[in-house]
């Protein structure tokens, strides 16, 4: 039998990849949360100075440097308009910037009426000076009136561009999905890989794809709704919605389809012919077959003769079939081939090569799935030991019939 070294190596690589990806996601998520806090709650930077509540905004100047301050810009109002809604009024100001060559249109909502003289809209329409305060690339406050004194009106805008949060959060979500997938694969290989059939690709690949898709859904949520809670909720909902059906389907498929495929009845071979199979065991049963396995009415063995007419070497002892199952990951490669092509002699190979040469899109020989017969040595060398014989599922009935006939010959 073979050790689990391959599974441990694969699990170690997957675990290392998961640690790298999840380790890179954690600082990115912290950066995204800090960017969200800085971008939305800018007043925390504005009203506290030297540990004391000042009640004044920090504006960029000699004492306060970018990016920890509000940038002030004096503008001139060219035109103004408003639109009445149910609960509030939407105002639009067309402004000329400080260089008098660039214009911009600014829309904001306010609960005050457009008739109030002390509102920002009323002061701007009356020609009083208007100042914009920028924070992280977006207008966060509009001030109308004098810069000094209390004779001024202020509107705090609620516009949130999300540019500082979106990209780190989207990358974090993608890294979550790509990191949790290899982590799942590593745990599966370590805990369940050895005794699972070779069709296990679906048993770890499906969850990996589901988690990677959930990471993409979280990244999309970060672009549409730039909030930490939205990203977390979208990732969790997508992961559960994709992972639970995948696991339920895999459980049902493993319990129903695989055992049904291994219900094989012995069939007596009519003549000696080659089968693309392999034998594995200990001691004299460690045959190391490089060619086909030959089965016949009363013999099963190997031979260097392609026609199997001379030098046919039978197996060194009688066998009793215990069970027929799919190949496990711990089985030797000779009996667990992922895709076995039915054996072709020299004439058939030449005919197939000629067909592929002229008809590249013609019918091809379809690969079949291998199955493994677990046998016990009844007599002779290695008595009581276990021997594995692998062959394509369509040839396994004749292999079982040859094993039974070979055992009768020994008796």
């Amino acid at each position: 039998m073979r050790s689990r070294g391959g599974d441990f190596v694969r699990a170690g690589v997957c675990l290392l990849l998961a640690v790298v990806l999840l380790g890179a996601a954690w600082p990115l998520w912290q950066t995204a949360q800090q960017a969200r806090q800085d971008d939305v709650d800018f007043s925390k930077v504005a009203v506290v100075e030297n540990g004391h509540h000042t009640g004044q905004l920090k504006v960029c100047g000699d004492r306060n440097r970018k990016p920890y301050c509000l940038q002030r810009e004096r503008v001139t109002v060219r035109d103004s308009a408003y639109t009445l809604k149910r609960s509030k009024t939407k105002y639009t100001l067309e402004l000329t910037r400080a260089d008098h060559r660039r214009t911009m249109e600014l829309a904001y909502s306010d609960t005050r009426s457009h008739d109030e003289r002390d509102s920002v809209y009323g002061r701007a329409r009356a020609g009083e000076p208007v100042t914009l305060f920028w924070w992280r690339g977006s207008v966060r406050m509009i001030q109308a009136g004098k810069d000094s004194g209390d004779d001024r009106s202020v509107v705090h805008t609620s516009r949130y561009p999300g540019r500082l949060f979106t990209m780190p959060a989207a990358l974090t979500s993608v890294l979550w999905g790509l990191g949790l997938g290899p982590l799942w694969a590593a745990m599966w290989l370590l805990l369940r890989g050895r005794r699972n059939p070779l069709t296990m690709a679906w048993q770890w690949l499906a969850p990996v794809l589901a988690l990677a898709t959930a990471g993409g859904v979280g990244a999309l949520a970060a672009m549409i709704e730039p909030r930490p809670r939205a990203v977390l909720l979208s990732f969790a909902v997508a992961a559960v919605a994709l992972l639970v059906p995948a696991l339920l389907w895999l459980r049902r498929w493993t319990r129903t389809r695989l055992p049904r495929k291994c219900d094989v009845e012995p069939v007596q071979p009519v003549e000696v012919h080659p089968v693309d199979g392999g034998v594995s065991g200990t001691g004299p049963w460690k045959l190391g077959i490089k060619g086909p396995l030959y089965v016949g009415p009363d013999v099963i063995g190997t031979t260097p003769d392609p026609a199997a007419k001379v030098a046919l070497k039978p197996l060194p002892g009688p066998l009793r079939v215990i069970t027929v199952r799919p190949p496990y990951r711990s089985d030797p490669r000779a009996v667990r081939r992922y895709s076995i092509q039915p054996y072709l002699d020299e004439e058939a190979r030449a005919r197939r090569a000629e067909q592929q040469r002229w008809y590249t899109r013609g019918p091809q020989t379809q690969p079949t799935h291998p199955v493994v017969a677990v046998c016990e040595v009844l007599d002779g060398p290695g008595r009581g030991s276990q021997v594995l014989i692998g062959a394509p599922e369509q040839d396994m009935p004749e292999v079982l019939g040859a094993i039974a006939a070979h055992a009768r010959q020994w008796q």
Side-chain angles (χ1 to χ4, degrees):
M1 296 302 106
R2 209 174 61 124
S3 65
R4 294 190 60 193
D7 281 346
F8 282 116
V9 171
R10 295 184 187 91
V13 172
C14 291
L15 192 59
L16 179 61
L17 183 61
V19 170
V20 171
L21 293 174
L22 295 178
W26 176 246
L28 268 177
W29 181 247
Q30 289 182 319
T31 301
Q33 287 183 313
Q34 185 62 40
R36 166 73 183 184
Q37 184 177 0
D38 292 344
D39 208 349
V40 176
D41 199 8
F42 69 95
S43 60
K44 290 183 179 180
V45 182
V47 299
V48 176
E49 187 173 356
N50 296 327
H52 301 285
H53 184 85
T54 63
Q56 297 178 355
L57 294 172
K58 281 187 177 180
V59 180
C60 296
D62 294 336
R63 298 181 58 187
N64 304 308
R65 299 295 181 179
K66 297 180 181 179
Y68 306 107
C69 58
L70 293 170
Q71 301 179 60
R72 174 166 42 191
E73 180 184 5
R74 181 68 62 86
V75 294
T76 304
V77 178
R78 294 181 56 185
D79 195 8
S80 60
Y82 64 90
T83 303
L84 296 176
K85 292 189 175 181
R86 293 182 180 179
S87 58
K88 52 189 175 182
T89 306
K90 183 177 181 181
Y91 298 97
T92 304
L93 299 178
E94 186 178 345
L95 308 171
T96 302
R97 307 192 71 170
D99 55 7
H100 299 287
R101 289 180 295 180
R102 294 180 297 166
T103 60
M104 63 181 297
E105 187 176 289
L106 185 64
Y108 66 94
S109 298
D110 197 357
T111 56
R112 302 185 192 180
S113 172
H114 61 278
D115 294 328
E116 294 187 28
R117 174 66 179 77
D118 292 336
S119 66
V120 171
Y121 179 79
R123 289 177 181 272
R125 191 174 184 183
E128 295 189 29
V130 175
T131 305
L132 303 182
F133 291 88
W134 294 80
W135 171 252
R136 304 286 189 180
S138 63
V139 177
R140 294 309 176 88
M141 191 175 72
I142 309 171
Q143 176 181 296
K146 299 178 181 180
D147 290 341
S148 59
D150 297 332
D151 189 19
R152 59 187 177 184
S153 298
V154 174
V155 170
H156 292 268
T157 64
S158 59
R159 176 174 176 266
Y160 170 56
R163 286 179 294 179
L164 297 177
F165 170 81
T166 298
M167 188 54 64
L171 289 176
T172 300
S173 180
V174 172
L175 291 177
W176 283 344
L178 296 179
L180 290 176
L183 182 62
W184 180 288
M187 294 298 102
W188 190 91
L189 288 171
L190 290 175
L191 300 178
R192 300 295 303 276
R194 185 174 186 269
R195 302 298 295 176
N196 273 265
L198 286 180
T199 45
M200 49 68 61
W202 283 105
Q203 298 176 15
W204 67 266
L205 185 59
V208 167
L209 293 177
L211 292 171
T213 305
V217 172
L220 184 63
M223 297 179 182
I224 297 176
E225 184 65 26
R227 289 184 299 109
R229 185 177 179 181
V231 177
L232 290 171
L233 190 61
S234 300
F235 180 86
V237 170
V240 172
L242 295 173
L243 198 57
V244 171
L247 294 179
L248 292 176
W249 173 76
L250 288 172
R251 182 175 179 269
R252 179 178 179 274
W253 179 76
T254 304
R255 293 194 173 190
T256 57
R257 181 179 175 183
L258 290 180
R260 190 183 310 132
K261 189 176 69 174
C262 299
D263 294 336
V264 182
E265 294 293 335
V267 174
Q268 187 74 18
V270 178
E271 59 181 359
V272 178
H273 65 278
V275 172
D276 192 1
V279 180
S280 176
T282 58
W285 293 92
K286 193 174 183 180
L287 301 179
I289 297 176
K290 295 183 179 180
L293 181 69
Y294 287 85
V295 297
D298 56 357
V299 67
I300 177 171
T302 61
T303 177
D305 180 17
K309 295 182 179 179
V310 296
L312 182 62
K313 181 181 179 181
L315 296 183
L319 299 175
R320 179 177 66 88
V321 178
I322 300 174
T323 184
V324 179
R325 58 167 174 78
Y328 289 161
R329 294 183 56 80
S330 56
D331 293 341
R333 184 174 180 81
V335 298
R336 63 180 185 89
R337 297 171 186 173
Y338 287 90
S339 178
I340 294 182
Q341 297 282 354
Y343 180 78
L344 302 176
D345 56 20
E346 295 297 331
E347 181 182 355
R349 290 179 184 175
R351 186 167 57 252
R352 179 180 175 186
E354 187 69 17
Q355 183 185 30
Q356 291 179 347
R357 178 183 175 185
W358 295 105
Y359 304 98
T360 56
R361 297 185 178 224
Q364 303 289 330
T365 304
Q366 297 296 328
T368 59
H369 298 285
V371 289
V372 174
V374 182
C375 306
E376 180 188 2
V377 180
L378 297 177
D379 196 4
R383 181 177 180 178
S385 63
Q386 194 176 80
V387 175
L388 302 180
I389 300 180
E393 58 179 325
Q394 77 272 14
D395 294 327
M396 184 54 73
E398 291 189 343
V399 172
L400 298 182
I403 292 174
H406 181 59
R408 287 194 297 269
Q409 287 289 106
W410 274 76
Q411 293 176 358

